[in-house]
Amino acid sequence: MQEIVNCAAYHKGRRIANIDISKINEVLDHPDQFLWLGLHEPSEETLERFQKEFNLHDLAIEDAHNAHQRPKLERYGDTLFIVLRTAQKNEAHQLVEFGETHFFVGSHFLVTIRHGSSKSYADVRNRCESTPELLRKGQGFALYAIMDSIVDQYFPVVEALEEELQNIEEKIFNEKPTRQTTEHIYQLKRQLLDVKRAVSPMIDISNRLMRFDTALISEDTQPYFRDIYDHALRINEMVDHVRELLNTALEANFSLISISQSDVSRKFAGWAAILAVPTMVAGFYGMNFDFMPELRWHYGYPVVVICTVSLCVLIYVMFRRSGWL
Amino acid sequence: MQEIVNCAAYHKGRRIANIDISKINEVLDHPDQFLWLGLHEPSEETLERFQKEFNLHDLAIEDAHNAHQRPKLERYGDTLFIVLRTAQKNEAHQLVEFGETHFFVGSHFLVTIRHGSSKSYADVRNRCESTPELLRKGQGFALYAIMDSIVDQYFPVVEALEEELQNIEEKIFNEKPTRQTTEHIYQLKRQLLDVKRAVSPMIDISNRLMRFDTALISEDTQPYFRDIYDHALRINEMVDHVRELLNTALEANFSLISISQSDVSRKFAGWAAILAVPTMVAGFYGMNFDFMPELRWHYGYPVVVICTVSLCVLIYVMFRRSGWL
Amino acid sequence: MQEIVNCAAYHKGRRIANIDISKINEVLDHPDQFLWLGLHEPSEETLERFQKEFNLHDLAIEDAHNAHQRPKLERYGDTLFIVLRTAQKNEAHQLVEFGETHFFVGSHFLVTIRHGSSKSYADVRNRCESTPELLRKGQGFALYAIMDSIVDQYFPVVEALEEELQNIEEKIFNEKPTRQTTEHIYQLKRQLLDVKRAVSPMIDISNRLMRFDTALISEDTQPYFRDIYDHALRINEMVDHVRELLNTALEANFSLISISQSDVSRKFAGWAAILAVPTMVAGFYGMNFDFMPELRWHYGYPVVVICTVSLCVLIYVMFRRSGWL
Amino acid sequence: MQEIVNCAAYHKGRRIANIDISKINEVLDHPDQFLWLGLHEPSEETLERFQKEFNLHDLAIEDAHNAHQRPKLERYGDTLFIVLRTAQKNEAHQLVEFGETHFFVGSHFLVTIRHGSSKSYADVRNRCESTPELLRKGQGFALYAIMDSIVDQYFPVVEALEEELQNIEEKIFNEKPTRQTTEHIYQLKRQLLDVKRAVSPMIDISNRLMRFDTALISEDTQPYFRDIYDHALRINEMVDHVRELLNTALEANFSLISISQSDVSRKFAGWAAILAVPTMVAGFYGMNFDFMPELRWHYGYPVVVICTVSLCVLIYVMFRRSGWL
Amino acid sequence: MQEIVNCAAYHKGRRIANIDISKINEVLDHPDQFLWLGLHEPSEETLERFQKEFNLHDLAIEDAHNAHQRPKLERYGDTLFIVLRTAQKNEAHQLVEFGETHFFVGSHFLVTIRHGSSKSYADVRNRCESTPELLRKGQGFALYAIMDSIVDQYFPVVEALEEELQNIEEKIFNEKPTRQTTEHIYQLKRQLLDVKRAVSPMIDISNRLMRFDTALISEDTQPYFRDIYDHALRINEMVDHVRELLNTALEANFSLISISQSDVSRKFAGWAAILAVPTMVAGFYGMNFDFMPELRWHYGYPVVVICTVSLCVLIYVMFRRSGWL
């Protein structure tokens, strides 16, 4: 994939032209225009070239080049630098895959830099271009549009985790406890922590964006960031909800393991008691005393067998009734 | 059920007329009047029509159309947008059912939008109309009246959950531990989390309403929102109380499972010891030594049987006394 | 018990007269006087009569009539409405009994309303009247005196709970684990939560009273509320202390249950091993082989018995030494 | 021990004279002097005498007479009242012993009141007197010197608790689980909670002293209170550290109890299996069938014995290899 | 190693000379210069000499001499005193080793004092000297450079701990539970707590440095401290992440111990049941009744043996199918 995915100028919300890098300055100086630049895993040289054009800070450029930043919003003079984490459900391996998108927002430009696994923002751009009356609010609205699409990607991810919790509940309460269930719980916990780590800073970031007193984001764009704030809060709450239930599930699982172990012990004890009877009777009539009149009776053997079996059945029924077996 | 449940104008607290939608403007312009509009799961078109009348924000309308928002209060210019969750105990399935009510509060109107399972607000409206001296405080008081009825619906729900906790306690401490009790604890925990999630944002919402410096809610209506704040706090506390007890109950349940397992083991060990005696004795007199004088005695057999039984009884009594059995 | 327990006017800290309700107005208008009114579970009519005299808010009167409020402090115009929970140790049933006291504090009056099980405040009143130099600080000091007696009632309650914790510790570490101990822990936890719920809002209430910039509570009375604040903090800390220890006790109890179960298993295994020896030996000499020379020896039987018993004793001693039995 | 331990006047950091109580006023009026008064469990009369001299508040005097206050700092007009808890390791009984020291700090005096088990402050006084250039900073520095010595007494106490944790770890991981270890963990937890309760309010107290805008503590003395703040923070952190490890130790202990129980069960099962073989074989050859050719063989008996023993050895080796035994 | 590792003057970011201690004053007075002094475990005398030169506070010097301070930032007049903890992975013993570095930052100097195991800062100095355009920002930038290298040393340490967690997971889910795994978990927890204790105060320290309104750190250096802040936050998050997973791993480990114990019990019970059959049969045919026709049959013995074995196999297959064995 090429490094520079998109580089276009917008005039009053309408795309006017794809811009050559050498002509960026003209757009930046025009009061009604802004530049929207999309990069994908850019090389250090590319970044340095744009650094000069947009007058970006060294530290921000360094962060923008290395992925694996934590989500954050930093202000360098007139420029905002924002890092967000994107998430996607990897259908094949049943795992959540994270990527990163970095933003530079300046007085007449928006730069987005994608790292790792994440969808292209082409359709977000198309959607924006189809509503020029909104996009004319400026680069702040373009920022909102992408952030909104990033946050909304978390809903299917969290819903998939909620489904996994339901699978686990199903297994815990309807099947017998297994090592797999315990490992499953652990893996779900790990994924929840990862999602939480990616989402919870967004609450703070969108909160700051919706209150910032800056010319970068026009006043009528700020309610839109409240929308993102609200979605980030909701995802966060969903994750906390699953986590708290998962903790209870872990403990419930544990109780059920103990109960099933207790059941095994009780059943074992019950059957051992039933089987102890014939063994003991047989032992007695295996004694070699000279004078054991029963041994001489003609029907001694069948009588003893029948009595023993009856006794066993009786004990079995008693145990059954008392709920022991 | 029709979409527009109610649409009436109020003059100094008295209902003057059902209003046709085309005449809404007249009411909004009149200083002593306000409009009370009740909708039930409105279509997108209906919402758009009212959006123009009341000059509502796009994002709020979008939220108002989709249910499954988290409870929140948002201010768009002169209008407040409020989302609350309603709760009802579903008697049949023993589950809590949640619905949603959205509010738009403007300078001369109140719009309520009901989603999902929730009672009609007809009787709230009737009660308000029967106290015109209060309702003349304006649309803020009407908002209070409905919010109050929503919050008060949580009391029977939480009391039902407290009763369920008592059932669980009863089962834990008086019956033997079962898988069902553990699952019951888990389901109660889940319901508590759901109620908590619905109620706890109301604390913040009512707190903000009772402090807001806005013309929308007249100053003498604000103490009423403190009342709602107080009720929301109380429900929240009740839920936390049940939760904390439930956690302890889960652990107590766990201890009792272990104790009962320990009891099984001990009883089993005790009976095994008692039964081991006759088995061993019988084994000894089953040996085929040529010279075992007891075997030749005439009363050897009954003596051995009696001794063995006595020994078993003796061991049983000893175990009983020491509390082992 | 009558509804109106006490209704007296105080002039510069000295009780001047029991006042008839119709003459309340005279006291309220006198700059150096205040009225102290004590009610006990008043009817709705009584409350309404006083509501007019003292000009109290509808919502406060509604709360004052219903018990089961959470402790709180609310300001309605010039009047404070305070709800506190009282606690007493019920000696007979070993339970904490809660009552409620509500206060209205106005510019020249203090109204106290008792609900449920709580002691009369007659002796608090007497004590106040015996120090007129303090009581002349006004109705704020009278409020302090009653709040102080309410908070101090919690000390014996919490000390009783601390004693119960000691009983539980005694049982856990010195006796064998029982279902009763587990239930005892649970009940103590429940009582602690109840006390906590009643006490912790008092911290906030007394904190606000000691900082309030109001004419209702004279400046030299405010340090007294810091005293209540300090006591409420201390009770709260004691409750938290017992709770944290109780949680650890629950876990320790759990460990000890497991250890004692482990002991049972080990003892059982040990005795099973010892008893397995004679059973096996007897089984061998019960075989019917034609050529088993030992069976023919004259002293075979006693020799085998002696060897077997010796072997058992030897195993027993070995197990004993290794700490297995 | 006498009530008045020390009563001396200091002029520009140098002790000038032991002062008779009647002459206290002279010192208090002198701008460059301050009075340092040390009391030990004073009677009510003594306290009342000084109350008049120093013009102290009733509530503070009441607190100063009763020990068992929680650590706190209270301001009464121009006077500070401070309560701290002292700690000492009781070598004999391996327990932490707590005492209390109360302080009154006024514009030209410092009163210290010791309660319960605590060391005399004679050597702190001596150390202060040996650095008059520091002590001339006033009564604030004297306060610092004593508070510093109180806080530093906690270090050996907490280090002793850390050592106890190490003993517990040693026992948990290297010895078999016992009831004693569990009780030991519980007692350590209790001591940690006590120390925490005594230390954590000091953080707030010293923080307030280092920021107070008051003439009582000169500006160049305030960095010294930051030193105390820093030490209190450190002790607090050490206690939290031990607590968190102790919680993990409790859980680890629990795991190990389960593992060792599991080991017992597995060993028992293994040996039961091994012993079941000869018992079964012997049982078979104890059957009384007429036609069992093996019984007639001349070497039947030794062959069966050898085969059985070999089989047992084989099973034993197999179990050993698989790690079962 | 010598005490004074480095003592150099910098003019506009360029090292001009190694300075003799007697000439320090000249550098401090020059507006465009600053002094960078590096000490390693200095003696008390050395510290006192520099104390006079740089006019440092007694308490700070006392702290700087004693290691084992908690990380902190303290301001004494115009000088900042900073304590940080350094960390290194000790490859040999698989343990984290902590050291300490103290800083004095004044208007024209930076003093670094290393204690315990930590790398020399020679290469940090070299790197700084290679970018004089950055180093000319003053001693604030030099402070940043060292703090940055200290914080970055934590990344490999925390990554090693993450690897250890993976080892533990591997053991828990793929091997059978052992005492070693439990102890391993405990030791990892201890290391995490140590790292946490060292890192978390850095968040606050760097946060304060990036906001401080002081001439000591020039305004264009402050974004650099935000970089450190960001890294400290990230390390902190990584530690919390490992801790939370470790707690879940401890519980999962515990569940698996119970499951494997349950498996042992079940298997044992199953085999006991299978072995009980031949024992019982043999016992029956070992009875000495005169009239037991089967005993007389010619093929009685093989038939019984075959039936018994078949029955055992049947039970075994049944158990296998039901998942019991």
Side-chain angles (χ1 to χ4, degrees), chain D residues 17-69:
Chain D
N18 282 351
I19 292 290
D20 192 76
I21 298 168
S22 60
K23 293 188 182 155
I24 282 179
N25 267 333
E26 293 171 25
V27 178
L28 297 184
D29 291 345
H30 194 297
D32 281 342
Q33 299 193 348
F34 75 92
L35 188 94
W36 190 343
L37 174 65
L39 302 176
H40 181 257
E41 300 191 344
S43 66
E44 242 169 295
E45 299 81 50
T46 314
L47 275 172
E48 274 169 25
R49 209 166 48 176
F50 287 113
Q51 178 178 14
K52 277 169 217 141
E53 293 293 343
F54 296 116
N55 190 24
L56 306 174
H57 197 280
D58 281 359
L59 287 169
I61 285 296
E62 204 185 302
D63 280 354
H65 184 250
N66 302 314
H68 301 299
Q69 303 297 319

Side-chain angles (χ1 to χ4, degrees), chain A residues 87 106 124 157 200 214 219 240 264 266 285 287 295 322:
Chain A
V124 179
V157 167
S200 66
T214 168
E219 208 172 307
D240 285 342
V264 169
R266 214 173 46 234
Y285 289 107
M287 292 195 293
L295 295 179
S322 72

Side-chain angles (χ1 to χ4, degrees), chain D residues 112-158:
Chain D
T112 65
I113 303 168
R114 278 166 46 220
H115 287 280
S117 95
S118 79
K119 287 193 300 185
S120 153
Y121 298 127
D123 41 334
V124 179
R125 223 157 26 231
N126 292 337
R127 232 177 308 129
C128 282
E129 289 169 6
S130 70
T131 56
E133 75 282 4
L134 291 172
L135 192 53
R136 70 184 305 176
K137 293 177 200 285
Q139 67 281 1
F141 188 82
L143 172 66
Y144 155 74
I146 296 186
M147 279 182 69
D148 190 50
S149 96
I150 288 174
V151 170
D152 282 355
Q153 278 171 30
Y154 278 93
F155 282 107
V157 167
V158 176

Side-chain angles (χ1 to χ4, degrees), chain C residues 141-153:
Chain C
F141 189 82
L143 172 67
Y144 154 73
I146 296 186
M147 279 182 70
D148 190 49
S149 96
I150 288 174
V151 171
D152 283 355
Q153 277 171 29

Side-chain angles (χ1 to χ4, degrees), chain E residues 144-182:
Chain E
Y144 154 75
I146 297 186
M147 279 183 70
D148 190 50
S149 96
I150 289 174
V151 170
D152 283 355
Q153 278 171 29
Y154 279 93
F155 283 106
V157 167
V158 176
E159 276 154 17
L161 297 178
E162 284 179 338
E163 254 175 58
E164 262 183 69
L165 174 64
Q166 283 184 341
N167 289 342
I168 287 173
E169 286 173 15
E170 194 71 18
K171 277 188 193 149
I172 287 176
F173 293 115
N174 298 333
E175 301 176 15
K176 74 181 169 79
T178 60
R179 306 179 73 82
Q180 281 72 38
T181 311
T182 305

Side-chain angles (χ1 to χ4, degrees), chain E residues 9 32 39 50 60 88 107-108 110 120 124 143 146 153-154 164 209 214 220-221 226 232 257 261 269 274 289 307 324:
Chain E
D32 282 342
L39 303 177
F50 286 114
Q88 274 176 299
S107 56
H108 285 276
L110 171 71
S120 154
V124 179
L143 172 67
I146 297 186
Q153 278 171 29
Y154 279 93
E164 262 183 69
L209 284 171
T214 170
D220 57 348
T221 320
R226 186 168 58 195
I257 292 169
Q261 185 174 352
I274 291 172
F289 285 98
C307 288
W324 185 271

Side-chain angles (χ1 to χ4, degrees), chain E residues 24-245:
Chain E
I24 283 179
N25 265 334
E26 292 170 26
V27 178
L28 297 183
D29 291 344
H30 195 295
D32 282 342
Q33 297 193 350
F34 75 91
L35 188 95
W36 189 344
L37 173 66
L39 303 177
H40 182 255
E41 300 192 343
S43 66
E44 241 169 294
E45 299 81 49
T46 314
L47 275 172
E48 272 168 28
R49 208 166 47 175
F50 286 114
Q51 178 179 14
K52 277 170 219 140
E53 293 294 342
F54 296 117
N55 189 24
L56 306 173
H57 198 279
D58 281 0
L59 287 169
I61 285 295
E62 205 184 301
D63 280 355
H65 185 250
N66 302 313
H68 301 298
Q69 303 297 319
R70 47 185 301 280
K72 62 181 173 183
L73 181 156
E74 290 178 346
R75 191 172 189 166
Y76 292 94
D78 294 339
T79 321
L80 291 182
F81 176 57
I82 300 172
V83 175
L84 295 186
R85 310 206 78 199
T86 60
Q88 274 176 299
K89 190 80 191 173
N90 176 330
E91 287 305 325
H93 304 81
Q94 288 284 331
L95 283 168
V96 184
E97 272 183 0
F98 293 96
E100 264 178 64
T101 300
H102 301 183
F103 301 85
F104 285 100
V105 193
S107 56
H108 285 276
F109 63 88
L110 171 71
V111 183
T112 65
I113 303 167
R114 277 166 46 219
H115 288 279
S117 96
S118 78
K119 287 192 300 186
S120 154
Y121 297 126
D123 40 334
V124 179
R125 225 161 22 235
N126 292 337
R127 234 178 306 129
C128 283
E129 289 170 5
S130 69
T131 55
E133 75 283 3
L134 290 171
L135 193 51
R136 71 184 306 174
K137 293 176 201 284
Q139 67 282 1
F141 188 83
L143 172 67
Y144 154 75
I146 297 186
M147 279 183 70
D148 190 50
S149 96
I150 289 174
V151 170
D152 283 355
Q153 278 171 29
Y154 279 93
F155 283 106
V157 167
V158 176
E159 276 154 17
L161 297 178
E162 284 179 338
E163 254 175 58
E164 262 183 69
L165 174 64
Q166 283 184 341
N167 289 342
I168 287 173
E169 286 173 15
E170 194 71 18
K171 277 188 193 149
I172 287 176
F173 293 115
N174 298 333
E175 301 176 15
K176 74 181 169 79
T178 60
R179 306 179 73 82
Q180 281 72 38
T181 311
T182 305
E183 190 169 355
H184 202 162
I185 291 174
Y186 184 81
Q187 295 304 345
L188 182 51
K189 181 79 169 268
R190 179 185 270 281
Q191 293 198 347
L192 284 168
L193 285 175
D194 286 341
V195 171
K196 174 102 183 168
R197 212 157 41 136
V199 170
S200 66
M202 284 195 208
I203 297 170
D204 183 50
I205 292 170
S206 48
N207 189 24
R208 281 169 69 197
L209 284 171
M210 89 197 206
R211 292 178 199 284
F212 248 144
D213 51 338
T214 170
L216 295 178
I217 290 159
S218 60
E219 209 172 306
D220 57 348
T221 320
Q222 298 198 340
Y224 290 90
F225 288 101
R226 186 168 58 195
D227 202 52
I228 291 175
Y229 171 76
D230 189 49
H231 288 189
L233 265 187
R234 226 161 90 202
I235 293 164
N236 211 39
E237 256 185 12
M238 286 162 85
V239 170
D240 284 343
H241 192 233
V242 177
R243 258 172 84 186
E244 191 145 358
L245 280 176

Side-chain angles (χ1 to χ4, degrees), chain C residues 144 165-166 169 172-177 223-224 226-227 230-231 233-234 237-238 241 244-246 248-249 251-252 254-256 258-262 265-266 268-269 272-273 276 279-280 283-294 323-324, chain D residues 57-59 63 68-70 72 74-76 176-179 182-183 186-187 189-190 193-194 197 201 243 250-251 253-254 257-258 260-261 264-265 267-268 275 278-279 281-283 285-288 294-298 300-302 304-305 308:
Chain C
Y144 154 73
L165 174 65
Q166 283 185 341
E169 286 174 15
I172 288 176
F173 293 115
N174 298 334
E175 301 176 15
K176 74 182 168 78
Y224 290 91
R226 186 168 58 196
D227 202 53
D230 189 49
H231 289 190
L233 264 187
R234 227 162 89 201
E237 256 185 13
M238 288 162 84
H241 191 233
E244 191 145 358
L245 281 176
L246 195 63
T248 312
E251 288 176 33
F254 203 56
S255 289
L256 294 177
S258 278
I259 290 176
S260 85
Q261 186 174 352
S262 199
S265 297
R266 216 175 43 237
F268 173 57
T279 306
M280 196 170 54
F284 262 82
Y285 289 108
M287 290 195 291
N288 296 318
F289 283 100
D290 283 357
F291 307 100
M292 292 177 72
E294 303 97 307
W324 186 271
Chain D
H57 197 280
D58 281 359
L59 287 169
D63 280 354
H68 301 299
Q69 303 297 319
R70 47 184 301 279
K72 62 180 173 184
E74 290 178 346
R75 191 171 188 167
Y76 292 94
K176 72 183 170 80
T178 61
R179 305 180 73 81
T182 305
E183 190 169 355
Y186 184 81
Q187 296 304 345
K189 181 79 170 268
R190 179 185 269 282
L193 285 176
D194 286 341
R197 214 160 37 141
R243 258 171 84 186
L250 188 59
E251 288 175 34
N253 185 30
F254 203 57
I257 291 169
S258 279
S260 85
Q261 185 173 353
V264 169
S265 298
K267 274 196 182 154
F268 173 56
L275 291 176
T279 306
V281 168
Y285 289 108
M287 291 196 292
N288 296 318
E294 303 95 308
L295 295 179
R296 309 301 152 222
W297 296 349
H298 196 270
Y301 175 51
V304 161
V305 169
T308 305

